[in-house]
Amino acid sequence: MLPVDEKLKDFYQEIIRRNQGEPEFHQAVLEVLGSLGPVLAKHPELREHKVIERICEPERQVMFRVPWQDDKGTVWINRGFRVQFNSALGPYKGGLRFHSSVNLSVIKFLGFEQTFKNALTGMPIGGGKGGSDFDPKGHTDNEVMRFCQSFMTELYRHIGEYKDVPAGDIGVGAREIGFLFGQYKRITNRYESGVLTGKGLDWGGALVRKEATGYGLVFFMQEMLKARGQSFEGKTCVVSGSGNVSLYTIEKVQQLGGKVIACSDSGGYIYDENGIDLECVKQIKEVRRGRISEYSKSQPRCKYIAGGSIWDVPCDIALPCATQNELNGRDATSLVKNGCKFVAEGANMPTTPEGTKIFHDAGVAFGPGKAANAGGVATSALEMQQNASRDAWTFEYTEQRLADIMVGIHQRCYETAEEFGTPGNYVNGANISGFIKVARAMVALGLI
Ligand code: NDP
Ligand code: 2IT
């Protein structure tokens, strides 16, 4: 267990008791509580208002049945979720995840994290998350469409431009957002562009949203490097996953002079010492929806390692971009031993608490997901802004806005960590800065 302030220990036990069988949610709460001791010492009024207790309880949780038929006519039943965590700063905002591992614990941890992440962006957005235990992998476009239509047939009543604005996450990309938006439009008879983000560029989507999480992660890492007088130039990087976040992380690292030598999917990882050929990975993943193992067929110099840990590949910079708890204590030890000095999380909570502690103890610069991957949701807020004004910005302008936002988030985390007596600790910086912003709004809005 992470060290938690004495005053918060009983409260954490209460979280466990009230949210049984939800280990991911417990983990996410504990990680934030671990930073809040000094905040309570400085702001005793937050205790009086029971802000921590309120912030850990979602405002609303919806669970629903999603029946659908596959191409053979067989009936399937999945479970849908939307957890509307906190709307003190704006409408609930956060992605939808379609993956077999989705359950209430996973959606609650993601919604909780999202609340602080969204606060860190400085944009007017609250926190929420949703999804289903349906996995689009292996299904035809028609099956995915029928699933999305059934999912939205319930979800539509809970969302709206001023209420709750979902987007993508694992298993939900432009194809799924298209089917979801189409069904929302059909049911409500409204072309409400601002109800979903990550839309296609032809029908209300924003340039740079697809690239934003990966690009933003790399902009954040660039600031971490600068803070230690370094740059991407000539550094080797390992990026886990090969989905939306990973692909555009690799792209921006390469543009900035770094070399990405490994990436993965849930089957295994590829190692290419000359640097990954990104166009080849995009063909496999974005165009063919294939497996990363196919890369070695067209790139004979590359090694494919089935199973195994990608974190055993020596590198200067590690960027976990797949899923929660994909980098554990053993992996962190291996990275540190091999000389890795910088880690930033593209995924949400990919590093276990043991892994984080090992990085901190070894003096590795560690950027937590709620700060480092906030570029995706920040650019979603820019998409909402464009939709509201019926405008469409250029790629260059939008990318510059994203870069500025990431520099701002880094600065806020860096300065807050110093102010609260833990210089260089981005975990404390992100947790405290995000928490204070939401807490102040909650106090100002009365007992909500
Ligand atoms: P994608 O579905 O596009 O890609 C997910 C990648 O992670 C795939 O390579 C997938 O491999 C791998 N992966 C997923 N689950 C597992 C698992 N249980 N074990 C091993 N590998 C796994 O999702 P995204 O790229 O959008 O999301 C990746 C991470 O980034 C998630 O943690 C998400 O919450 C986070 N994130 C996403 C944002 C966004 O804008 N999309 C914004 C901020 C954070 P396989 O294909 O084999 O399943
Ligand atoms: O985890 C995340 O920040 C996302 N999946 C993006 C959310 C969004 O609303 O763009």
Side-chain angles (χ1 to χ4, degrees):
M1 184 167 145
L2 290 169
V4 170
D5 194 88
E6 274 307 316
K7 294 188 279 297
L8 292 170
K9 275 197 176 140
D10 288 349
F11 172 65
Y12 180 62
Q13 290 311 316
E14 187 64 2
I15 286 283
I16 295 177
R17 192 189 66 74
R18 280 163 61 84
N19 303 277
Q20 287 185 29
E22 299 179 0
E24 292 86 0
F25 179 57
H26 303 163
Q27 183 182 335
V29 170
L30 184 59
E31 196 241 355
V32 171
L33 294 185
S35 301
L36 296 187
V39 182
L40 291 183
K42 207 166 177 173
H43 298 282
E45 75 281 4
L46 296 179
R47 263 190 92 64
E48 197 185 307
H49 288 285
K50 295 231 165 122
V51 175
I52 298 183
E53 288 84 341
R54 282 193 273 152
I55 244 171
C56 291
E57 184 73 16
E59 289 177 16
R60 188 175 298 107
Q61 311 182 47
V62 188
M63 281 172 67
F64 50 96
R65 179 168 67 208
V66 189
W68 60 281
Q69 273 180 307
D70 67 19
D71 291 345
K72 295 197 185 91
T74 307
V75 172
W76 298 91
I77 312 296
N78 284 99
R79 187 172 287 172
F81 301 86
R82 188 71 184 167
V83 173
Q84 299 178 327
F85 226 103
N86 196 298
S87 61
L89 295 177
Y92 309 105
K93 180 83 196 88
L96 296 170
R97 178 177 291 191
F98 290 172
H99 192 267
S100 52
S101 63
V102 164
N103 56 36
L104 186 60
S105 173
V106 168
I107 298 299
K108 279 172 72 176
F109 114 66
L110 289 164
F112 182 74
E113 291 270 297
Q114 197 82 48
T115 300
F116 303 105
K117 180 196 305 190
N118 293 5
L120 278 172
T121 65
M123 321 288 282
I125 42 179
K129 201 84 185 192
S132 175
D133 57 359
F134 168 81
D135 193 337
K137 273 205 297 288
H139 288 294
T140 63
D141 287 352
N142 273 326
E143 288 174 338
V144 172
M145 179 182 74
R146 283 195 293 275
F147 173 81
C148 288
Q149 290 179 338
S150 181
F151 183 85
M152 186 53 87
T153 300
E154 172 58 31
L155 186 71
Y156 89 94
R157 67 190 86 243
H158 307 292
I159 62 175
E161 185 183 353
Y162 295 105
K163 204 190 273 183
D164 183 352
V165 182
D169 193 82
I170 291 177
V172 178
R175 175 184 60 173
E176 288 74 18
I177 294 291
F179 296 147
L180 291 164
F181 185 73
Q183 184 71 351
Y184 182 86
K185 186 177 82 61
R186 188 180 185 197
I187 296 173
T188 60
N189 194 26
R190 279 163 63 85
Y191 206 106
E192 190 183 325
S193 300
V195 70
L196 288 170
T197 59
K199 298 181 293 296
L201 296 177
D202 298 329
W203 42 277
L207 287 165
V208 190
R209 176 60 190 91
K210 182 176 71 171
E211 295 83 358
T213 310
Y215 279 20
L217 171 66
V218 177
F219 292 143
F220 190 89
M221 175 54 83
Q222 198 176 22
E223 293 306 298
M224 290 172 62
L225 287 159
K226 269 192 211 158
R228 293 192 177 190
Q230 300 192 42
S231 77
F232 268 105
E233 201 58 52
K235 296 243 178 359
T236 53
C237 304
V238 168
V239 177
S240 62
S242 48
N244 172 265
V245 178
S246 314
L247 293 177
Y248 293 94
T249 295
I250 297 172
E251 185 162 290
K252 190 49 82 180
V253 167
Q254 292 180 344
Q255 286 174 12
L256 295 180
K259 183 159 82 164
V260 180
I261 52 173
C263 70
S264 62
D265 62 20
S266 56
Y269 68 90
I270 52 170
Y271 170 65
D272 194 337
E273 64 181 345
N274 295 326
I276 300 284
D277 177 342
L278 181 60
E279 281 318 305
C280 179
V281 180
K282 280 189 182 174
Q283 274 296 319
I284 296 168
K285 287 291 172 182
E286 284 191 328
V287 181
R288 301 207 302 270
R289 295 182 189 276
R291 307 304 300 159
I292 202 68
S293 56
E294 295 162 32
Y295 182 91
S296 48
K297 289 186 194 131
S298 61
Q299 310 281 338
R301 66 181 185 284
C302 147
K303 288 196 194 97
Y304 173 68
I305 294 98
S309 172
I310 192 173
W311 310 119
D312 288 339
V313 176
C315 60
D316 302 310
I317 300 174
L319 299 161
C321 295
T323 194
Q324 65 271 7
N325 293 326
E326 55 159 312
L327 198 169
N328 61 24
R330 191 210 74 90
D331 299 324
T333 304
S334 176
L335 282 166
V336 170
K337 182 170 72 77
N338 289 330
C340 175
K341 294 278 188 300
F342 295 89
V343 179
E345 298 182 323
N348 287 305
M349 208 170 76
T351 313
T352 63
E354 295 73 28
T356 307
K357 182 168 185 323
I358 288 164
F359 289 140
H360 279 148
D361 290 349
V364 170
F366 177 78
K370 58 172 82 68
N373 73 35
V377 75
T379 308
S380 277
L382 299 181
E383 182 172 331
M384 291 162 73
Q385 221 173 306
Q386 290 167 80
N387 291 152
S389 59
R390 300 191 189 284
D391 200 356
W393 306 342
T394 64
F395 194 96
E396 293 68 26
Y397 175 75
T398 318
E399 188 183 9
Q400 190 55 52
R401 291 280 307 259
L402 167 64
D404 293 344
I405 290 167
M406 297 315 296
V407 170
I409 295 174
H410 177 273
Q411 191 179 346
R412 230 162 283 146
C413 294
Y414 192 87
E415 289 174 0
T416 308
E418 284 202 335
E419 183 191 337
F420 283 84
T422 52
N425 186 323
Y426 291 100
V427 172
N428 283 345
N431 287 339
I432 295 173
S433 165
F435 172 79
I436 288 179
K437 174 128 197 210
V438 181
R440 285 206 177 121
M442 288 179 76
V443 171
L445 298 184
L447 189 53
I448 54 164

